[in-house]
Coordinates of all heavy atoms in Angstrom, one line a residue:
L1054 N -4.2 -25.3 7.4 CA -5.2 -26.2 7.9 C -6.4 -26.5 6.9 O -7.2 -27.3 7.3 CB -5.7 -25.6 9.2 CG -4.6 -25.4 10.4 CD1 -5.3 -24.6 11.6 CD2 -4.2 -26.7 10.8
G1055 N -6.4 -25.7 5.9 CA -7.4 -25.9 4.9 C -8.9 -25.5 5.4 O -9.0 -24.6 6.3
G1056 N -9.8 -26.0 4.8 CA -11.2 -25.7 5.3 C -11.8 -24.5 4.6 O -11.4 -24.1 3.5
E1057 N -12.7 -23.8 5.3 CA -13.5 -22.7 4.8 C -12.7 -21.5 4.4 O -11.6 -21.2 5.2 CB -14.6 -22.3 5.8 CG -15.5 -21.1 5.3 CD -16.4 -20.6 6.4 OE1 -16.4 -21.2 7.6 OE2 -17.1 -19.7 6.3
A1058 N -12.9 -20.9 3.3 CA -12.1 -19.7 2.9 C -12.7 -18.5 3.6 O -13.9 -18.3 3.8 CB -12.3 -19.5 1.4
L1059 N -11.8 -17.6 3.9 CA -12.2 -16.3 4.5 C -12.9 -15.5 3.6 O -12.6 -15.3 2.4 CB -10.9 -15.6 5.0 CG -11.1 -14.2 5.6 CD1 -11.8 -14.2 6.9 CD2 -9.7 -13.5 5.8
N1060 N -14.1 -15.0 4.1 CA -15.0 -14.2 3.2 C -15.1 -12.8 3.8 O -15.7 -12.6 4.8 CB -16.3 -14.8 3.1 CG -17.3 -14.0 2.2 OD1 -16.8 -13.0 1.5 ND2 -18.6 -14.2 2.2
A1061 N -14.2 -11.9 3.3 CA -14.1 -10.5 3.8 C -14.5 -9.5 2.7 O -14.1 -8.3 2.8 CB -12.9 -10.2 4.4
G1062 N -15.2 -9.9 1.6 CA -15.6 -9.0 0.6 C -14.7 -9.1 -0.6 O -13.7 -9.8 -0.7
P1063 N -15.0 -8.3 -1.7 CA -14.4 -8.5 -3.0 C -12.9 -8.0 -3.0 O -12.1 -8.4 -3.8 CB -15.2 -7.6 -3.9 CG -15.9 -6.6 -3.0 CD -16.2 -7.4 -1.7
L1064 N -12.6 -7.0 -2.1 CA -11.2 -6.5 -2.1 C -10.2 -7.6 -1.6 O -9.1 -7.4 -1.9 CB -11.1 -5.3 -1.1 CG -12.0 -4.0 -1.6 CD1 -11.7 -2.9 -0.6 CD2 -11.5 -3.6 -3.0
L1065 N -10.7 -8.5 -0.9 CA -9.8 -9.5 -0.3 C -9.1 -10.3 -1.5 O -7.8 -10.4 -1.5 CB -10.5 -10.5 0.5 CG -9.7 -11.6 1.2 CD1 -8.9 -11.0 2.3 CD2 -10.6 -12.7 1.8
S1066 N -9.9 -10.8 -2.5 CA -9.3 -11.5 -3.6 C -8.5 -10.6 -4.5 O -7.6 -11.1 -5.1 CB -10.4 -12.3 -4.2 OG -11.4 -11.5 -4.8
L1067 N -9.0 -9.4 -4.6 CA -8.3 -8.5 -5.5 C -6.9 -8.1 -5.0 O -6.0 -8.1 -5.8 CB -9.2 -7.2 -5.6 CG -8.6 -6.0 -6.4 CD1 -8.6 -6.5 -7.9 CD2 -9.4 -4.8 -6.2
Y1068 N -6.8 -8.0 -3.7 CA -5.5 -7.6 -3.2 C -4.6 -8.8 -3.0 O -3.4 -8.8 -3.4 CB -5.7 -7.0 -1.8 CG -4.4 -6.4 -1.2 CD1 -3.8 -5.2 -1.6 CD2 -3.7 -7.2 -0.2 CE1 -2.6 -4.8 -1.1 CE2 -2.5 -6.7 0.4 CZ -2.0 -5.5 -0.1 OH -0.8 -5.0 0.4
Y1069 N -5.1 -9.9 -2.4 CA -4.2 -11.1 -2.1 C -4.2 -12.0 -3.3 O -3.2 -12.8 -3.4 CB -4.7 -11.8 -0.9 CG -4.6 -11.0 0.4 CD1 -5.6 -10.5 1.1 CD2 -3.2 -10.7 0.9 CE1 -5.5 -9.7 2.2 CE2 -3.1 -10.0 2.1 CZ -4.2 -9.5 2.7 OH -4.1 -8.8 3.8

Side-chain angles (χ1 to χ4, degrees):
L1054 299 174
E1057 179 187 358
L1059 176 64
N1060 181 12
L1064 294 181
L1065 183 73
S1066 59
L1067 179 64
Y1068 184 79
Y1069 294 107

